[in-house]
Amino acid sequence: NCLMPDDVAEQHDGYLARYLQTGIKRVLADKRVVTAKHKDGSLFPIEVHVKELISKELNRRSYFGFLRDIRQDLELKYAFELNDTITDMIKSPIIAIDQVGTIIKFTRAACDLFGYEMSEITGKNVNMLMPEPYASGHDGYLSNYQVTRKKNVVDSTRRMPAKRKNGTVVTVELRVGEFAKAGGATTFVAFLRDVTEMDALEREHQTSVQISLLSQLAVVIADKRGFIHSVNQATCDLFRYKEEEMVGQNVKMLMPKSLAVHHDNYLEAYHRTKVKHVIERAQGIKRGEVVFDLEIGVRELELVGLGTRYLGFIRDVSSEVILEEAHKISGSIVALSPVPIIVMDSTGMVMQFPDLACTMLGYSRDEVVGRNIKMLMPPQIANEHDSYLKNYMTTGIKHVIDTNRQSTAMRKDGTLIDIEISVKEVRGDDGSTFFAGFIKPLGDLFSALQLANKAAAEGAAGKQRK
């Protein structure tokens, strides 16, 4: 019993005595997983198999215990369960097939896309997810690839039709990776994205961005007390901490104080009631006390020998929140304005740059949105603008806001234009501040825009001559 935890050790002599009296075997001849105690006092899981040897000549019973440390087994099981959990949390559908096309992995996102349950699809041929003529030709494609190794789909991204359970056809963006196993067996893993129902905002701002794999998203694994056990590199990049600075610390370090002070109570209440109150949209805090908006999903894992683990899947949505606020502004003023209106946030970052402004100043929208508005000013004004803005945000004293004044703007080609500017302050629903600048060239607006177009045309012609 010196090899057992205290609560088991205290009972062990009684177990033996009871067996000798009754002959009822509860441990003998069966393998079981129990907890053992190391010399240093630490506890660890083992698999034990006990055999009994009876010597009639010596009138003695002996017991042989065959022990196996299963910590590595449990860690491996944990890794597999964690991998399954992670893949199921990825919003991109993932499908894995073997070398003959049999489906061996079908994530929850894939179930949502195609309308099948995992039990309906696992073990079936992947061609049931394809319309004709792709379905009838797929087995041949696989066989041909095994012989020629010529890659037509593997390691490439392409758009293809796919068939749902109800027979409807959707267009998916497909990327296939190949993984060779020991012994020559091959697994193909496909990452899919439904591109038939893309959100309008995503089409406008993210059409060039493929859905990220989990390695590109922040993942935090914590225990039931909230202490961090592991993070990935994306978490380090997002929160600006090194891995060793986070592991072992409470996950509250990644939250603003308004959330952190309540987190222990949230955990305690959940352990008591099992009622889930995780907020999908929340805020995090980076090194340097930088608060940002995030989207979070949390899964609970119960692992034999390791206890409870929480898997947090985190995505920075700051730019999306800014875009949502910007679209509120653009819907009410920018789209209807007969003069250029440039919208910026409280740090000077340009959020809206309409077509009229593009024509007047010679920039494309992509060249300006997301950058500091100082790029549109001559140096003598640009050098002071951040301090002007910071001073206003601190004091609230208006020098430019709600007034009309003359100033100077700088085009992309470096030429200057005299303008009349009127700045209005707009408040978002969450109290955030935005500024809308109404820009009017001094003189005739139509003539000014004609001159800008002429300058742009002459610049393009000069490049062609070179």
Side-chain angles (χ1 to χ4, degrees), residues 278-438:
V278 176
I279 304 171
E280 292 184 357
R281 280 283 181 99
Q283 288 186 319
I285 186 164
K286 304 180 183 183
R287 180 192 291 277
E289 302 298 313
V290 178
V291 177
F292 68 102
D293 295 288
L294 57 82
E295 182 179 82
I296 182 169
V298 179
R299 291 288 301 276
E300 181 180 6
L301 305 174
E302 286 295 336
L303 304 169
V304 177
L306 297 172
T308 302
R309 294 288 185 270
Y310 294 107
L311 177 69
F313 171 81
I314 303 167
R315 187 169 68 93
D316 185 348
V317 295
S318 300
S319 60
E320 294 177 21
V321 172
I322 291 173
L323 287 171
E324 288 169 5
E325 294 295 339
H327 277 274
K328 292 178 184 177
I329 298 172
S330 65
S332 59
I333 54 177
V334 176
L336 301 177
S337 175
V339 297
I341 298 176
I342 301 174
V343 180
M344 71 177 190
D345 66 11
S346 59
T347 67
M349 184 178 77
V350 178
M351 301 163 58
Q352 285 289 321
F353 196 72
D355 291 341
L356 281 174
C358 294
T359 303
M360 180 189 297
L361 298 174
Y363 287 96
S364 69
R365 184 178 290 105
D366 290 341
E367 289 177 306
V368 179
V369 172
R371 298 182 63 186
N372 196 293
I373 198 167
K374 294 185 298 184
M375 67 186 291
L376 307 178
M377 306 173 186
Q380 65 272 23
I381 300 176
N383 292 339
E384 303 294 335
H385 190 261
D386 284 344
S387 61
Y388 294 154
L389 193 56
K390 184 177 180 181
N391 184 61
Y392 171 69
M393 297 304 296
T394 302
T395 66
I397 299 174
K398 298 179 179 179
H399 294 291
V400 177
I401 295 170
D402 296 335
T403 67
N404 291 331
R405 61 168 54 198
Q406 294 183 4
S407 186
T408 304
M410 185 171 68
R411 293 190 181 103
K412 181 178 180 180
D413 62 8
T415 59
L416 301 181
I417 177 173
D418 293 325
I419 60 171
E420 181 180 273
I421 181 169
S422 176
V423 179
K424 301 294 183 183
E425 183 177 3
V426 183
R427 294 282 181 177
D429 293 340
D430 61 352
S432 54
T433 300
F434 305 92
F435 299 97
F438 296 71

Side-chain angles (χ1 to χ4, degrees), residues 226-239:
F227 286 93
I228 298 172
H229 280 236
S230 65
V231 297
N232 65 350
Q233 184 59 45
T235 305
C236 300
D237 296 339
L238 178 59
F239 289 95

Side-chain angles (χ1 to χ4, degrees), residues 171-185:
T171 302
V172 296
E173 189 173 81
L174 174 72
R175 180 171 180 82
V176 179
E178 180 183 11
F179 301 91
K181 301 177 183 177

Side-chain angles (χ1 to χ4, degrees), residues 96-98 100-106 117-126 128:
I97 64 171
D98 63 16
V100 296
T102 303
I103 297 172
I104 56 179
K105 178 68 178 177
F106 202 75
E117 295 297 326
M118 291 185 192
S119 57
E120 295 179 291
I121 198 75
T122 304
K124 303 293 180 61
N125 194 296
V126 73
M128 67 186 293

Side-chain angles (χ1 to χ4, degrees), residues 93-97 101-107 109-118 120-136 138 160-172 174 190 192:
I94 299 176
I95 302 172
I97 64 171
T102 303
I103 297 172
I104 56 179
K105 178 68 178 177
F106 202 75
T107 64
C111 292
D112 294 338
L113 174 60
F114 288 96
Y116 288 99
E117 295 297 326
M118 291 185 192
E120 295 179 291
I121 198 75
T122 304
K124 303 293 180 61
N125 194 296
V126 73
N127 60 18
M128 67 186 293
L129 303 176
M130 307 172 188
E132 293 296 344
Y134 299 96
S136 57
H138 190 258
M160 300 186 68
K163 186 174 71 174
R164 290 191 171 118
K165 181 180 178 180
N166 62 9
T168 59
V169 176
V170 296
T171 302
V172 296
L174 174 72
L192 298 89

Side-chain angles (χ1 to χ4, degrees), residues 73-89 105 108 214 221 299-309 311:
D73 291 3
L74 293 178
E75 289 289 351
L76 185 60
K77 182 180 179 183
Y78 167 61
F80 280 121
E81 292 180 354
L82 181 60
N83 180 67
D84 287 342
T85 300
I86 289 173
T87 54
D88 280 342
M89 288 183 69
K105 178 68 178 177
R108 293 181 184 177
L214 195 58
I221 301 173
R299 291 288 301 276
E300 181 180 6
L301 305 174
E302 286 295 336
L303 304 169
V304 177
L306 297 172
T308 302
R309 294 288 185 270
L311 177 69

Side-chain angles (χ1 to χ4, degrees), residues 445-464:
L445 174 62
F446 179 75
S447 298
L449 295 183
Q450 278 190 321
L451 289 174
N453 284 329
K454 182 179 179 182
E458 289 175 350
K463 288 183 179 178
Q464 289 181 350

